Amino acid sequence: MHFFLLRLIAVNFVILSFCYALASTEIKNTNQIPKMVTVSLLLDWKPNTNHIGFYVAKAKGFYKENGIELKILNPTQTTSTALVGMNRADFGVSYANNLIYARNSKIPVKAIAGIVSVDTSCFVWRKSLNVKSLKQLEGKRYGGWGSPEENATLNFIMQKNGADFSKIKMLTTGVQDFLPATLKNVDFTWEYKGWNILAAQLNKVEVETYCPSEHFAEFNKPSPLIITSDKLIKDNPKLVHLFMQATKKGFEYSINNPIDAANEMLNLLPELDAKLVKESVKYLAPLYKGKNINWGYLDFKKFEVYSQWMKKVDLIKNIPLPNEYLSNDFIN
């Protein structure tokens, strides 16, 4: 998946915050769960193995066992973070930067689990480009979304590697697939190891990568995240708990039974590339939980380090307190 389809420029949150007061949630102000309640989950991108636990839990009836009929929604041009914060969806898949942007814009959303214990996003280019270091990316074409975080991240890692960010040709390309894009339009992009990078490798295309989280503590954090609104947590913590317990079972099943989990997902989404899904789950299975005792655990310190970096590079004005936008209360 292209990394920055998952991102929203901070200014969008400022605009959306004006709409927040007008929003309303479908879940009533109650701690009582009826026999079956419809709950919405808004994805960040088209279905992929970051979402497998949701599909496994749905296929195996884990949600229904907890009185939940899960409705999985495809993303829109507005990020899930903003829509969940406005109570237009009950839960969503999001990212640390979007969450911190939201808090800076007074949008009350909170992460309640990390889907993958580490950030597996990497800058990637074809091996045929003959680039062996970041210094050699000078003069090359980067294809992305033109967001402030792309610029800040590239500038940061280039400086740390003795390279000049200003010499990169930054192109705003929007939605693109790595393989066709790097044939003619751009030289390198920002992708996830377990999806588009893996897809390239399965297509026998040799690639080189530079993964920021493997080099700098600033980027070493869970990604993506499951989020919900402060309002739902306050009004109906029982529902949040039931949703998360079913979701946790789905991801734990995927960790222990990756091929079976892949097949469950493919049964629901037969249009997906079966080989990619199976190989992706095998790659991600040990990373979903990682070294944590529990799947979904959010290490507040890692988010503090990341938010401090965002402040240092002028992506945000204020550093929110971790307990304002993070919670481990629902994964135990």
Side-chain angles (χ1 to χ4, degrees), residues 20-39:
Y20 169 71
L22 302 177
S24 62
T25 181
E26 293 182 2
I27 301 296
K28 295 180 179 180
N29 182 5
T30 176
N31 244 342
Q32 300 301 314
I33 307 299
K35 278 191 174 182
M36 193 64 66
V37 61
T38 297
V39 169

Side-chain angles (χ1 to χ4, degrees), residues 117-142:
S117 64
V118 294
D119 189 328
T120 64
S121 66
C122 308
F123 294 99
V124 58
W125 54 92
R126 290 172 180 260
K127 192 172 183 178
S128 58
L129 194 63
N130 199 30
V131 167
K132 303 298 182 183
S133 69
L134 293 190
K135 179 73 174 174
Q136 292 178 310
L137 288 176
E138 293 176 355
K140 299 298 189 288
R141 302 165 299 169
Y142 170 77

Side-chain angles (χ1 to χ4, degrees), residues 250-258 261 281 284-290 295:
F251 278 100
E252 288 178 337
Y253 186 90
S254 302
I255 292 167
N256 296 320
N257 307 278
V281 181
L284 287 172
L287 300 179
Y288 288 124
K289 180 179 175 182
W295 169 84

Side-chain angles (χ1 to χ4, degrees), residues 23 33 71 83 129 193 198 262:
I33 307 299
K71 184 178 181 182
L83 293 174
L129 194 63
K193 268 189 175 182
L198 179 59

Side-chain angles (χ1 to χ4, degrees), residues 160-173:
K160 293 292 185 179
N161 284 272
D164 188 347
F165 165 71
S166 68
K167 294 182 179 179
I168 293 178
K169 298 174 183 177
M170 300 292 288
L171 304 177
T172 301
T173 53

